[in-house]
């Protein structure tokens, strides 16, 4: 069991949410620091928990990590970066232009694209060979879940191409001067990303089929970007201590099968493998104990749950069914089981005779794979960004461009090549899908948290784009936010795992939703080993590790919670999903107190 071998100056840890990117990035950084290397550890995740893992209050500047010589860390906060970027772009014009013009500029710089480009400014500054980055032997990036990471990595090319084509001086970002002045920095960032002697990308995956599929998709897309120095890190390999525990044997068997059948391109990469850790790698002492197993203390066995374990999905579905229609959204950090929960609810409602649409806004959607079979009354769809962009461009050009002269139409086409057009197009499709919940059930498996919130925040950006392109606002878009805020129409289920990072991430999501005047309906705690009935030593210890997080959810976060046990049989296909929706917890777990 080894950590990834690091030799290049830049190292990215990326992969499906919840696979252990932060844990491996931190462990690798500490190992290098112990060897005398100077290391800067950077999180580009909008929902970073690097502060918690390293027990150090971080900011947008390198901060020494307490008790770890040679190690510094920092967070790139996209919202904070956007605020600073916006002020840098607008402040030179204060007192020069009329107040109305200033307000217009601030509005142009308030969209999702500004957040992305501002975060990339900070990212590119480190990657492009600044004095700060040169002060370290290694710069390690703990990146966000895959979809966000790929967008971050593609920004240099996207914005460079857009700058080359745009001649009007304006875009969805407002005046392009702020981008133009960083053209050389972006070019340097691209050069670093594609230089195999300077940059390594570590694809982190748990030994699960879905995680390997996501890692393979990332590998292909990275190769298309010219990034080819890739290595695979398989994290959390479990070995059963005996053959008399069904859960333990099933976990080992499932993992072995996933490793044996991983995509060929992924299997050909250099690989590291790390073992199953009963407790999460949160806190410096825990990480150091992981690096030095001889220091690991005997596990505690006296942890007891002070509340009764919550029930399963069936009572929740009974209540959702009462309205006869409506929108159900599963939301949460990537990798926590949103797709599975959404599919199980959709299947159960369809089996009860309801018309159900199961859809997703997740760029890495696995809905069809999870369901595997068809069922009368249940339809499955996916919001395809490329398709939606083409549809949106054609619609705007047909309506707003019909009466423009050649120059005006060229300017409109140029504006529609803006990178934020995809967000707007997907937003429209999202609204259309929600509209179908007026007379049927729509179950939406939403994207990982950062993308989901960005999607919702696109409302104002979309409205501004409509004004700029003179397009029409569909009624579904007009009604979207009121519908999302209507507790009789929309039920948001926050899905999490009983672990530190997913729970804290879910709490941040809940706070964001409440600021948007959307009140979550319930929390679903998925894949619980505490509720599985296992008596394997390591898995039971992981179950005890879940206790404080289950209690936190039930006592502090929600009035209604659902607890789903880890499944010995994968919850895919009609039978597996039905078992998840209707299953019962082991008797010994129901009696636990």
């Amino acid at each position: 069991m080894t950590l990834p071998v690091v030799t290049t100056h830049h190292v990215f840890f990326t992969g499906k949410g919840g696979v252990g990117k932060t844990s491996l990035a931190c462990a690798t950084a500490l190992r290098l620091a112990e060897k005398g290397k100077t290391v800067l550890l950077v999180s580009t995740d909008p929902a970073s928990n690097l502060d918690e893992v390293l027990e150090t209050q971080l900011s947008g500047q390198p901060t020494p990590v307490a008790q770890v010589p040679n190690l510094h860390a920092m967070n790139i906060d996209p919202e904070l970066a956007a605020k600073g970027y916006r002020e840098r772009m607008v402040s030179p014009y204060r007192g020069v232009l009329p107040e109305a013009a200033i307000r217009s500029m601030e509005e142009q710089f308030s969209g999702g694209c500004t957040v992305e480009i501002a975060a990339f400014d900070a990212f590119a500054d480190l990657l492009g060979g600044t004095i700060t980055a040169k002060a370290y032997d290694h710069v390690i990036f703990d990146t966000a879940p895959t979809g966000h990471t790929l967008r971050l990595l593609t920004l240099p090319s996207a914005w460079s191409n857009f700058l080359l084509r745009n001649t009007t001086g304006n875009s969805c970002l407002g005046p392009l001067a702020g981008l133009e002045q960083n053209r050389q920095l972006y070019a340097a960032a691209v050069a670093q990303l594609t230089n195999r002697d300077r940059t390594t990308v570590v694809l982190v995956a748990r030994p699960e089929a879905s995680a390997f599929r996501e890692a393979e998709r990332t590998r292909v897309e990275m190769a298309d970007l010219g990034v080819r120095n890739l290595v695979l890190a398989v994290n959390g390999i479990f070995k059963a201590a005996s053959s008399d525990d069904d859960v333990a044997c099933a976990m080992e068997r499932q993992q072995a099968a996933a490793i044996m059948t991983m995509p060929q391109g992924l299997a050909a990469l250099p690989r590291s493998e790390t073992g199953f850790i009963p407790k999460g790698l949160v806190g410096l002492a825990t990480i150091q104990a992981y690096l030095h197993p001889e220091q690991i203390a005997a596990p505690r066995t006296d942890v007891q749950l002070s509340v009764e374990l919550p029930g399963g999905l069936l009572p929740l579905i009974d209540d959702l069914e009462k309205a006869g229609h409506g929108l159900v959204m599963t939301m949460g950090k990537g990798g926590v089981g949103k797709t599975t929960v959404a599919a199980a609810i959709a299947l159960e409602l369809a089996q009860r005779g309801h018309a159900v649409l199961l859809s997703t806004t997740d760029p890495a959607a696995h809905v069809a794979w999870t369901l595997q079979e068809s069922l009368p009354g249940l339809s499955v769809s996916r919001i395809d960004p490329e398709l939606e962009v083409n549809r949106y461009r054609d619609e705007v050009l047909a309506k707003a461009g019909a009466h423009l002269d050649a120059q005006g139409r060229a300017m409109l086409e140029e504006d529609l090549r803006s990178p934020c057009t995809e967000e707007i197009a997907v937003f429209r499709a999202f609204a259309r899908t929600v509209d179908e919940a007026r007379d049927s059930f729509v179950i939406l498996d939403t994207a990982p948290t950062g993308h989901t919130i960005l999607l919702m925040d696109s409302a104002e950006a979309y409205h501004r784009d409509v004004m700029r392109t003179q397009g029409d606002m569909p009624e579904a878009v007009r009604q979207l936010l009121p519908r999302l805020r209507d507790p009789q129409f929309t039920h948001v289920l926050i899905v999490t795992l009983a672990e530190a990072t997913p729970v804290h991430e879910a709490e941040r999501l809940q706070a964001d939703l409440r600021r948007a005047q959307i009140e979550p309906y319930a929390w679903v705690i998925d894949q619980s080993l505490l509720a599985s009935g296992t008596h394997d030593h390591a898995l039971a210890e992981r179950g005890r590790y879940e206790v404080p997080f289950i209690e936190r959810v039930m006592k502090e976060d929600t009035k209604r919670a659902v607890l789903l046990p880890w499944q010995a049989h994968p919850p895919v296909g009609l039978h597996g999903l039905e078992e998840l929706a209707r299953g019962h917890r082991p008797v010994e777990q129901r009696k636990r107190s």
Side-chain angles (χ1 to χ4, degrees):
M1 298 295 184
T2 59
L3 288 172
V5 176
V6 171
T7 58
T8 56
H9 186 250
H10 302 116
V11 185
F12 288 88
F13 283 81
T14 188
K16 185 179 174 68
V19 296
K21 296 185 299 294
T22 299
S23 296
L24 288 188
C26 290
T28 300
L30 259 68
R31 183 186 65 180
L32 290 169
E34 286 182 350
K35 293 181 177 180
K37 301 292 185 179
T38 55
V39 181
L40 175 61
L41 180 57
V42 184
S43 175
T44 61
D45 193 329
S48 169
N49 73 321
L50 205 56
D51 304 59
E52 180 182 19
V53 176
L54 296 178
E55 300 176 299
T56 302
Q57 185 66 44
L58 303 179
S59 68
Q61 299 297 321
T63 301
V65 176
Q67 303 177 1
V68 185
N70 303 321
L71 179 59
H72 289 70
M74 62 182 287
N75 282 322
I76 295 179
D77 185 326
E79 293 294 339
L80 187 62
K83 182 178 179 180
Y85 180 86
R86 185 162 51 245
E87 185 57 29
R88 289 197 306 274
M89 296 300 104
V90 176
S91 60
Y93 300 95
R94 297 189 190 279
V96 177
L97 296 179
E99 186 60 30
I102 296 298
R103 286 197 300 270
S104 178
M105 289 180 65
E106 289 176 334
E107 188 176 353
Q108 283 183 307
F109 281 110
S110 64
C113 281
T114 300
V115 175
E116 295 261 358
I117 200 66
F120 180 71
D121 270 352
F123 165 84
D125 193 47
L126 290 169
L127 198 63
T130 64
I131 295 175
T132 298
K134 290 178 180 177
Y136 298 91
D137 295 318
H138 301 283
V139 180
I140 296 177
F141 293 90
D142 168 31
T143 58
T146 307
H148 179 86
T149 300
L150 290 175
R151 180 157 176 77
L152 193 65
L153 294 178
T154 57
L155 274 173
S157 299
W159 287 109
S160 295
N161 291 336
F162 184 56
L163 290 176
L164 288 172
R165 289 194 298 260
N166 191 301
T167 58
T168 65
N170 289 279
S171 73
C172 60
L173 286 170
L176 285 175
L179 301 178
E180 178 66 29
Q181 67 189 16
N182 288 331
R183 187 194 295 266
Q184 291 184 346
L185 180 62
Y186 296 168
V190 173
Q192 291 290 328
L193 282 171
T194 56
N195 186 338
R196 63 182 307 116
D197 295 324
R198 296 287 295 170
T199 299
T200 302
V201 175
V202 181
L203 304 177
V204 184
R206 292 204 185 277
E208 301 166 358
S210 62
F212 285 143
R213 285 197 307 275
E214 178 72 6
E216 172 64 7
R217 188 180 73 89
T218 304
R219 183 194 68 81
V220 172
E221 295 190 16
M222 289 287 185
D224 290 342
L225 292 169
V227 180
R228 292 181 173 82
N229 188 8
L230 303 170
V231 300
L232 174 65
V234 183
N235 184 39
I237 296 178
F238 174 76
K239 299 295 182 184
S242 64
S243 59
D244 63 348
D245 187 291
D246 291 342
V247 172
C249 292
M251 182 177 289
E252 181 177 355
R253 185 169 60 251
Q254 288 178 24
Q255 290 190 356
I259 292 173
M260 287 292 295
T261 58
M262 79 168 71
Q264 290 185 351
L266 204 61
L269 295 178
R271 185 192 312 176
S272 66
E273 296 182 345
T274 49
F276 178 85
I277 303 172
K279 295 186 176 182
L281 287 182
V282 178
L284 291 171
T286 304
I287 299 174
Q288 289 166 340
Y290 171 72
L291 294 174
H292 306 285
E294 68 279 0
Q295 300 175 12
I296 296 180
R300 291 182 58 189
T301 58
D302 59 345
V303 180
Q304 294 293 322
L305 193 65
S306 63
V307 294
E308 184 178 353
L309 288 180
L313 276 177
L314 209 56
L316 184 71
I317 297 173
D318 291 341
D319 288 343
L320 292 173
E321 184 188 20
K322 291 177 181 177
H325 69 95
L327 173 68
V328 179
M329 292 198 296
T330 56
M331 301 178 69
K333 184 179 177 68
V336 296
K338 298 186 305 296
T339 300
T340 302
V341 171
I345 294 172
L347 174 64
E348 179 65 23
L349 288 171
Q351 288 180 328
R352 297 182 184 190
H354 297 283
V356 181
L357 170 63
L358 174 61
S359 187
T360 181
T361 62
D362 193 336
H366 304 299
V367 168
W369 179 87
T370 301
L371 200 59
Q372 292 190 347
E373 304 171 59
S374 61
L375 185 73
L378 176 60
S379 56
V380 179
S381 70
R382 183 175 85 88
I383 296 176
D384 186 316
E386 183 177 355
L387 178 64
E388 296 303 332
V389 166
N390 291 334
R391 177 184 298 173
Y392 175 65
R393 284 174 176 163
D394 291 344
E395 180 182 327
V396 172
L397 287 171
K399 292 181 179 180
H403 304 293
L404 295 177
D405 59 20
Q407 182 179 4
R409 187 175 178 87
M411 292 177 65
L412 179 58
E413 290 176 342
E414 191 170 313
D415 201 17
L416 288 171
R417 287 197 294 268
S418 158
C420 76
T421 296
E422 180 178 316
E423 293 290 342
I424 296 162
V426 170
F427 180 79
R428 283 162 49 96
F430 176 74
R432 288 199 308 271
T433 304
V434 170
D435 189 58
E436 296 191 35
R438 289 181 300 163
D439 50 18
S440 64
F441 281 105
V442 172
I443 316 298
L444 263 174
D445 165 35
T446 57
T449 307
H451 180 82
T452 301
I453 296 303
L454 183 61
L455 192 65
M456 290 187 170
D457 285 346
S458 294
E460 292 303 320
Y462 174 80
H463 293 175
R464 288 194 300 275
D465 184 83
V466 168
M467 295 298 292
R468 190 175 68 252
T469 61
Q470 303 175 30
D472 294 330
M473 174 148 340
E475 182 63 21
V477 173
R478 294 181 188 277
Q479 296 296 326
L480 178 59
L481 285 179
R483 285 170 174 165
L484 292 179
R485 290 167 175 163
D486 181 357
Q488 302 303 314
F489 187 91
T490 297
H491 296 88
V492 174
L493 307 181
I494 294 181
V495 186
T496 187
L497 303 178
E499 300 174 11
T501 300
V503 167
H504 295 160
E505 165 69 8
E507 289 172 337
R508 286 190 286 266
L509 168 60
Q510 179 162 265
D512 287 339
L513 289 171
R514 286 173 171 168
R515 279 194 291 272
Q517 302 175 49
I518 300 171
E519 182 63 29
Y521 181 67
W523 281 44
V524 178
I525 306 171
D526 195 23
Q527 303 172 40
S528 169
L529 284 166
L530 181 69
S532 71
T534 182
H535 53 80
D536 178 88
H537 178 78
L539 297 186
E541 177 61 19
R542 170 57 71 91
R544 287 186 286 271
Y545 170 76
E546 297 175 356
V547 167
F549 303 110
I550 295 174
E551 291 179 336
R552 181 185 181 102
V553 168
M554 298 182 66
K555 292 179 179 180
E556 301 179 25
D557 295 323
T558 184
K559 296 179 180 178
R560 181 163 196 170
V562 170
L563 187 71
L564 302 179
W566 189 90
Q567 301 286 307
H569 301 287
V572 296
L574 298 185
H575 177 73
L577 291 170
E578 182 179 283
E579 185 175 319
L580 180 66
R582 302 183 182 183
H584 301 283
R585 289 176 283 112
V587 173
E588 63 267 26
Q589 296 300 336
R590 292 201 299 270
K591 294 180 179 179
R592 185 184 294 273
S593 62

